Amino acid sequence: MKAEISEKIRTYFSQMSIYKDPEKTNSIFAGRNLPAFVKDFLLKRYLNVQTGEIDTLGLTQFLDQVIPTVTGSVKDRIVSGQEVVLLARFIIYIDLVKGQKQFAIPDYGIKLREGIIPEFVYNKHQGELVDGEKWGIVKLCLLPDSDGKKFHVQMVDYKPFKPYSSVDINYLAEARQHFTTDEWMDLLLSAMEYDPDGFANATQKLEFLTRLLIFAEPRLNVIELAPKGTGKSYVFGNLSKYGWLVSGGKVTRAKLFYDKSKQQNGIIKNHDFTVFDEIQTIVFQEPAEIQAALKSYLESGKTTIDNNEFSSECGLMLMGNIPLNEQRRPISPKYFGSLPENFRESALLDRFHCFIEGWLLPRIDTSMIFKGWTINVEYFSEILHTMRTNNAYSLLFDQLCRFEEKADVRDSKAIKRIATGYMKLLFPQWRSINDVNKEEFEMYCLNPAIHRRGIIKEQCRNIDPEFKSRMPDVYLV
């Protein structure tokens, strides 16, 4: 990445910038498997913003206190009567029958029903300690149960992992005006921790950045088929605490949507996006029930589970591998043949909006890991999360575009959502129609949206010849 882009980042994102040095970072965090948004939060606390140097001694001492490498030592300290403070990933389960708020910390061997959240902690953080996975700084101690016969681990204090309580979209829009579109794409790639110079051209860069649309646009449904080693799992598992990555194993309708026996919402309810990684390895129990629920949810964001209406703004993504020829192109023109049999139904697949051609992306090697100044991942993920509820770009699309009469509703919705996602990502400075460069809108937003939805249509036609692959005409006003 050019030095002038780094200088612009330091100038216009001074409080959010961070110097990335992969070798040093790997040494500091050796033995601690942490996502990028946690690492950047910690690095930022011990960063000299003038020189980019990290206070490695101070950071190491802090890590030893709150993220011990010996997992068994945590239980030993709790059992011995110590209060233990951890920066950790934990899972919450609300037991309505018993009236208990339970938690588990899998990385340290603390299981559900062993961990209890007391009312005073729960009430202090209303709306935050809900079902699902969370990150935060927790203080734990061992206390006896009410009957005095057993003990439990109690969360006596909690600080949410949210370094940025709010982010200012207007600030981002103002800063964006100082970057060209090419420079901004390079900034985004560096924020994802990849070196822009490792991509052959703008087409590769845009293909890679398309993975971020599901972070910023609500209820966007995406399919990506790609060869191994193109960074799929890293992007979705490390850049945001608001997503959930399902990698292999068994998946049930209750786990995804709603568990009636536990009266507990599934993972789709409390996340911005859910990603099925390596979908060929995932086993879907009761596939007919899951398929029926997915059809309804993908269409409207709602479905009914055992007479309970379920709704969410969570996007869904399917990721899988696809066999390629020597030219790194799919061996078969029927891409969806690489999906599990339960997903090879045109009526289900037509409800997906966007397709990413992962074979166009380079294989990730060590030279592509970014080193230099960029914006930190935690700020970056908060910006994308905040963008989800900003409707200015959707309204702007309506002013810019007109569909042909009798355009297919699914096509028009898909094109609008994809194009809106690109505007949020690439052109946050566009706040009114007077701001828009229509040539760039057509090149980077509208045409890619039509193309990506068109692939879905063509592949559905390969499954069912009754499907029409023609895309509707879209006119710029």
Side-chain angles (χ1 to χ4, degrees), residues 174-213:
E174 172 61 30
R176 169 64 177 89
Q177 297 182 54
H178 299 281
F179 295 79
T180 67
T181 299
D182 287 341
E183 289 175 339
W184 189 253
M185 290 173 69
D186 286 356
L187 178 150
L188 294 175
L189 289 167
S190 69
M192 297 172 75
E193 303 195 322
Y194 292 95
D195 191 334
D197 295 337
F199 295 84
N201 48 48
T203 299
Q204 273 194 351
K205 290 179 181 179
L206 189 63
E207 200 74 35
F208 199 86
L209 290 173
T210 301
R211 290 172 170 172
L212 293 179
L213 297 185

Side-chain angles (χ1 to χ4, degrees), residues 2 35 39 89 116 120 123 132 168 188 208 215 235 252 270 279 291 294 300 380 384 391 403 406 413 446 459 464 476:
K2 295 179 180 178
K39 290 180 182 177
R89 172 183 68 95
I116 300 296
F120 74 90
N123 292 334
D168 187 352
L188 294 175
F208 199 86
F215 288 64
V235 168
T252 64
N270 297 312
I279 191 166
Q291 191 180 74
L294 281 175
S300 63
F380 184 51
L384 296 177
N391 65 359
F403 288 94
K406 298 183 179 179
K413 283 184 177 180
L446 182 59
Q459 294 305 312
D464 185 352
L476 282 177

Side-chain angles (χ1 to χ4, degrees), residues 92-117:
I92 295 176
Y93 166 55
I94 309 299
D95 188 332
L96 295 177
V97 176
K98 294 183 179 179
Q100 284 186 339
K101 289 81 177 176
Q102 303 172 358
F103 72 92
I105 308 181
D107 294 339
Y108 296 106
I110 298 173
K111 303 174 184 177
L112 279 176
R113 297 182 178 83
E114 291 181 346
I116 300 296
I117 303 172

Side-chain angles (χ1 to χ4, degrees), residues 33-39 193 215 233-241 245 377:
N33 186 16
L34 300 173
F37 60 85
V38 175
K39 290 180 182 177
E193 303 195 322
F215 288 64
S233 302
Y234 185 84
V235 168
F236 297 103
N238 282 274
L239 299 186
S240 175
K241 60 179 173 286
L245 188 69
V377 172

Side-chain angles (χ1 to χ4, degrees), residues 336-356:
F336 290 162
S338 298
L339 295 174
E341 186 175 351
N342 295 326
F343 280 89
R344 292 184 221 152
E345 185 193 1
S346 55
L348 174 65
L349 293 167
D350 189 39
R351 288 163 164 80
F352 283 84
H353 307 115
C354 178
F355 187 90
I356 298 176

